[in-house]
Amino acid sequence: MIPTTLDLTADPDGIARAADLLRQGLLVAFATETVYGLGGDARNGEAVAEIYEAKGRPSFNPLIAHVASVEAARRFVDWSDHAETLANAFWPGPLTLVLPLRDGHGISPLVTAGLETLAVRVPVHQTARDLLAAFDGPVAAPSANPSGQISPTTADHVRAGLGGRISAILDDGPCGVGLESTIVGLAGEPTLLRPGGIALEDIETALNTRLHLHQVGDHLTAPGQLQSHYAPDAPVRLNAVLKQGEEVLLGFGPVDCDLNLSESGNLIEAAANLFAALHSLNETGRPIAVSPIPDHELGAAINDRLRRAAAPRDS
Ligand code: TXA
Ligand code: MG
């Protein structure tokens, strides 16, 4: 237990203090364009172990290393033409690339959970970029929520889930994209490992090829294999047109509902609102029904998260 989790503002002083804490092997949650990340020095095994501990995360589920630039990424992974194409098109931004680890990488094996590959991402959010520049090293950062629960898109969400377990929160308001990064595996054939903030269609256009879709049950541990995830306390029912019983309705488009992801039916707006809406409806303590969401562009990633929120729980 850490007696006080510091609230740091995203100004030069706050960024410098956050970078100092990371250098000391401590954990700092920070704003990114997707969701808040729980950062620790990716080269420091103890710091990375603390990330797993704070989240209660199963140790087989590997972490993303956040870096400041393509040049920084290339120090840790074997680069490729596909990586170059996708980095040119979408970095900095909500895309994570999984590539073979490079010799002499120096990344803690706890980050990759023993895999021969590393997930790397260059975020576009100014606070994340400033922190990475000030720290000048790779930052391992999963989403800053207790494992299996709803991802955080505000500093308040982080504090509610991890307050007292981490050293500081670098607050920079709500996250703009609101969904985690899209993860593309490039260690073999280009493969979609997780839908997210960049639409699959845009990635396929940039690569001029179709992506393989990661099959649940493949040996690699990717988020798609954790069936129940992003889970509120109450049950979630999808593709609901009308409320039943005690339910609250999370709407999409012009529907009569308790909270609307986007009245105009805009998928980008709905993605940005998704996790905050689930956090807020969760507080009502009532079961949650959700309107149908179209399954293209960011809708595919929204539906992915909603299916997991609705999946049967282990306990
Ligand atoms: O937007 C994001 O990606 C956020 C922000 C903080 O950057 N991070 C995030 O991290 O969503 P996390 O840990 O919640 O999800 C990363 C997923 C993990 O579930 C893991 O299965 C997958 O990435 N992953 C990490 N390394 C991998 C690897 N080498 N091969 C396959 N999947 C990997
Ligand atoms: Mg997560």
Side-chain angles (χ1 to χ4, degrees):
M1 190 78 183
I2 291 167
T4 22
T5 295
L6 286 175
D7 273 313
L8 299 177
T9 318
D11 56 21
D13 183 51
I15 303 260
R17 289 181 70 186
D20 269 344
L21 294 170
L22 290 176
R23 273 190 281 275
Q24 293 169 45
L26 299 173
L27 304 188
V28 178
F30 61 99
T32 85
E33 69 275 20
T34 58
V35 300
Y36 275 71
L38 176 57
D41 183 346
R43 300 158 301 192
N44 178 335
E46 282 179 33
V48 180
E50 291 287 343
I51 294 178
Y52 285 104
E53 176 73 22
K55 279 182 66 87
R57 176 166 176 131
S59 56
F60 54 75
N61 198 3
L63 307 177
I64 298 172
H66 296 67
V67 292
S69 63
V70 172
E71 297 69 53
R74 293 180 70 151
R75 277 181 224 139
F76 304 111
V77 290
D78 287 328
W79 205 238
S80 67
D81 290 348
H82 283 327
E84 183 71 16
T85 302
L86 292 182
N88 277 335
F90 303 113
W91 275 2
L95 174 71
T96 295
L97 300 178
V98 173
L99 290 155
L101 273 166
R102 184 173 158 177
D103 286 347
H105 53 78
I107 299 284
S108 162
L110 282 178
V111 171
T112 58
L115 296 173
E116 297 295 308
T117 53
L118 177 69
V120 281
R121 165 159 127 78
V122 178
V124 69
H125 193 290
Q126 195 59 48
T127 297
R129 297 182 67 71
D130 290 346
L131 179 63
L132 290 169
F135 177 61
D136 194 22
V139 172
S143 50
N145 54 284
S147 189
Q149 296 185 16
I150 306 167
S151 298
T153 54
T154 66
D156 281 349
H157 297 157
V158 178
R159 177 166 290 285
L162 297 177
R165 295 174 155 260
I166 63 177
S167 289
I169 303 172
L170 186 55
D171 185 350
D172 199 8
C175 302
V177 175
L179 287 176
E180 293 86 346
S181 60
T182 302
I183 305 181
V184 176
L186 293 178
E189 292 297 305
T191 302
L192 179 71
L193 296 174
R194 175 177 73 185
I198 304 270
L200 171 64
E201 292 89 335
D202 294 338
I203 291 169
E204 292 186 329
T205 301
L207 285 180
N208 195 22
T209 183
R210 301 296 296 273
L211 294 193
H212 292 255
L213 300 183
H214 179 74
Q215 296 297 309
V216 171
D218 286 1
H219 73 282
L220 240 187
T221 297
Q225 288 172 289
L226 294 176
Q227 277 276 326
S228 173
H229 207 90
Y230 311 105
D233 301 318
V236 176
R237 187 169 65 88
L238 305 183
N239 296 314
V241 180
L242 292 172
K243 289 200 264 195
Q244 296 173 358
E246 292 293 292
E247 283 176 345
V248 281
L249 180 63
L250 178 58
F252 176 82
V255 293
D256 183 14
C257 58
D258 297 275
L259 202 56
N260 204 318
L261 289 172
S262 169
E263 281 177 27
S264 65
N266 178 316
L267 290 168
I268 295 173
E269 181 184 22
N273 288 332
L274 177 68
F275 289 134
L278 288 176
H279 277 285
S280 136
L281 292 181
N282 194 31
E283 280 167 18
T284 67
R286 289 160 60 185
I288 301 169
V290 189
S291 293
I293 317 262
D295 207 36
H296 57 81
E297 302 286 328
L298 288 196
I302 295 172
N303 283 322
D304 170 81
R305 304 303 187 271
L306 286 171
R307 276 193 296 275
R308 280 178 227 293
R313 319 284 162 78
D314 289 340
S315 50

